[in-house]
Amino acid sequence: TDQGMVRYDGSEFKLFAHNPNDSTSIGPGDVWNISLGRDSLLWMGTRQSGIISFDPRTLRFTKHINPFKNGNIDRVSSVLADSACIWSGGTDSKLFNLDTKTNKFELFHPVWAGDTTIKNFGFVRDLLQDKYNPELIWFSVDNNPLIKKQGLVSFNKTNHSFQFYACQGRPKYQDDEGNIWLVTNGISQFNPKVNESRHFPTLYPAP
């Protein structure tokens, strides 16, 4: 939430809010997303405090400082915990890899060579691990408000390559046939095998 993290144990809610006098409390700013990692740690992307991990056994939060952040505010719009590390997305299409053993970040930034319509993409949204190719991560990118364009991107963990696809929406699910389903104004289906997308608009009845 915009006040911190809320836990529900089946009977009641508990709010974990920022306490400026407690270094083990959650940082300030909205919690934008949560991903479950190894050893039951929860990894959070926040609007102001970057990546924060939470240990449910000790009820303590740990802030992970990203040296590549822009200024004093570290905005993490998406986070994904895999078996080896923590992936996160921020502004300017930047993708980060956090090694949890060394607590060091690595930056990956696409160069959309020769295409002025997509080189200034903004937030990385909704990181999705490919179910059938462990080397691939899918995510969407929001462009700056002047261009108002969105696209789907795949990232290869091995060769660090980015591939852009002109497909609307934010990736949420991959079905048994490998299709990526995205949420937009309606839903979209992207077939990476043939590089084709279909859009299913939501049609609301007139009042």
Side-chain angles (χ1 to χ4, degrees):
T1 71
D2 58 357
Q3 300 180 36
M5 185 188 76
V6 176
R7 182 188 69 186
Y8 179 65
D9 62 7
S11 60
E12 62 181 7
F13 293 91
K14 176 178 175 57
L15 172 65
F16 294 87
H18 174 60
N19 181 351
N21 298 317
D22 182 0
S23 62
T24 65
S25 72
I26 193 171
D30 306 10
V31 175
W32 277 352
N33 43 73
I34 300 176
S35 181
L36 178 63
R38 293 178 297 176
D39 301 325
S40 299
L41 292 180
L42 293 178
W43 294 87
M44 285 161 276
T46 68
R47 184 172 62 88
Q48 293 182 342
S49 303
I51 293 181
I52 298 175
S53 60
F54 173 71
D55 191 332
R57 296 162 295 190
T58 63
L59 302 183
R60 292 190 173 188
F61 295 84
T62 301
K63 303 172 186 65
H64 303 269
I65 307 301
N66 187 343
F68 303 105
K69 65 181 180 179
N70 292 327
N72 295 324
I73 297 179
D74 187 6
R75 292 180 177 175
V76 176
S77 50
S78 187
V79 64
L80 171 68
D82 69 12
S83 59
C85 59
I86 308 300
W87 295 91
S88 64
T91 59
D92 301 324
S93 298
K94 293 177 181 177
L95 189 64
F96 303 100
N97 177 333
L98 171 61
D99 187 324
T100 56
K101 294 181 179 180
T102 63
N103 203 35
K104 291 184 178 180
F105 284 84
E106 188 174 7
L107 167 65
F108 304 97
H109 193 192
V111 178
W112 308 108
D115 193 336
T116 58
T117 65
I118 59 176
K119 72 176 183 180
N120 293 317
F121 275 137
F123 284 111
V124 170
R125 305 282 190 183
D126 298 286
L127 292 164
L128 177 69
Q129 174 64 59
D130 193 292
K131 292 167 58 176
Y132 305 101
N133 185 348
E135 299 303 318
L136 284 185
I137 296 177
W138 298 91
F139 59 90
S140 65
V141 282
D142 291 344
N143 212 336
N144 65 57
L146 296 178
I147 302 177
K148 296 182 180 179
K149 186 177 180 182
Q150 187 182 66
L152 179 66
V153 177
S154 66
F155 174 75
N156 188 297
K157 301 177 187 178
T158 300
N159 61 26
H160 305 158
S161 62
F162 293 82
Q163 179 65 49
F164 173 80
Y165 304 92
C167 180
Q168 299 180 42
R170 298 180 180 182
K172 296 293 185 180
Y173 175 73
Q174 187 175 24
D175 63 27
D176 293 338
E177 296 179 355
N179 298 308
I180 307 295
W181 291 88
L182 307 95
V183 175
T184 177
N185 181 18
I187 59 174
S188 293
Q189 179 198 60
F190 176 72
N191 185 339
K193 297 177 182 178
V194 294
N195 192 14
E196 290 183 354
S197 64
R198 299 173 62 193
H199 180 59
F200 304 91
T202 300
L203 301 178
Y204 297 98

